[in-house]
């Protein structure tokens, strides 16, 4: 009698397992819509742009200050390279702003609309 209960329990468990596998198979087949490989919120994009601008300025300042220190010409190279860093930071920010308007493509595809 105990063996019959055990067999009935095993059969019931096997049926539940098959039903679960069927439900999981259906769920695995449904893929959520892709939001693009690189989805950023507007705040993340804004911080990225600010960081790019500050990095350009800091890099320009560092190179200019270093060259001024080596040559003894105090403000000349620092002013020039800070302006070049500003231009590079703005250029990079504009490239990032253009990425916002593009439609996401396939992974590895650099094309967008």
């Amino acid at each position: 009698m105990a063996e019959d209960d055990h067999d009935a329990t095993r059969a019931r468990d096997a049926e539940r397992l098959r039903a679960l596998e069927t439900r999981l198979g259906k769920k695995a087949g449904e893929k959520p819509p892709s939001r693009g490989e690189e989805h950023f919120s507007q705040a993340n994009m804004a911080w990225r742009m600010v960081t790019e601008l500050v990095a350009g300025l800091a890099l320009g300042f560092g190179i200019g200050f270093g060259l001024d220190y080596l040559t003894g010409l105090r403000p000349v190279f620092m002013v020039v390279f800070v302006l070049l860093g500003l231009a590079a930071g703005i250029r990079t920010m504009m490239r990032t702003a253009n990425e916002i308007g593009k439609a996401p493509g396939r992974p590895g595809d650099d094309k967008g609309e």
Side-chain angles (χ1 to χ4, degrees):
M1 182 136 171
E3 191 172 306
D4 290 337
D5 289 341
H6 182 68
D7 289 340
T9 303
R10 287 181 59 94
R12 190 173 2 114
D13 289 344
E15 182 60 34
R16 288 178 57 203
L17 183 60
R18 274 189 233 101
L20 178 62
E21 287 175 351
T22 304
R23 286 192 330 221
L24 288 176
K26 288 178 185 177
K27 288 285 185 183
E30 301 171 3
K31 294 186 179 180
S34 175
R35 297 176 70 183
E37 186 176 3
E38 292 184 21
H39 173 73
F40 296 106
S41 69
Q42 295 296 325
N44 287 342
M45 292 300 277
W47 276 111
R48 177 179 168 188
M49 291 159 89
V50 168
T51 303
E52 290 167 349
L53 180 64
V54 170
L57 284 170
L59 191 61
F61 176 78
I63 291 171
F65 184 79
L67 287 174
D68 281 340
Y69 181 78
L70 292 175
T71 61
L73 301 171
R74 281 292 165 208
V76 177
F77 288 115
M78 187 169 54
V79 171
V80 170
F81 278 95
V82 163
L83 291 175
L84 287 175
L86 177 67
I90 289 174
R91 183 171 181 237
T92 307
M93 279 178 47
M94 295 305 291
R95 192 176 320 143
T96 302
N98 284 336
E99 286 179 16
I100 294 173
K102 289 185 179 179
R106 294 185 316 236
D109 184 14
D110 290 336
K111 297 175 186 172
E113 296 176 356

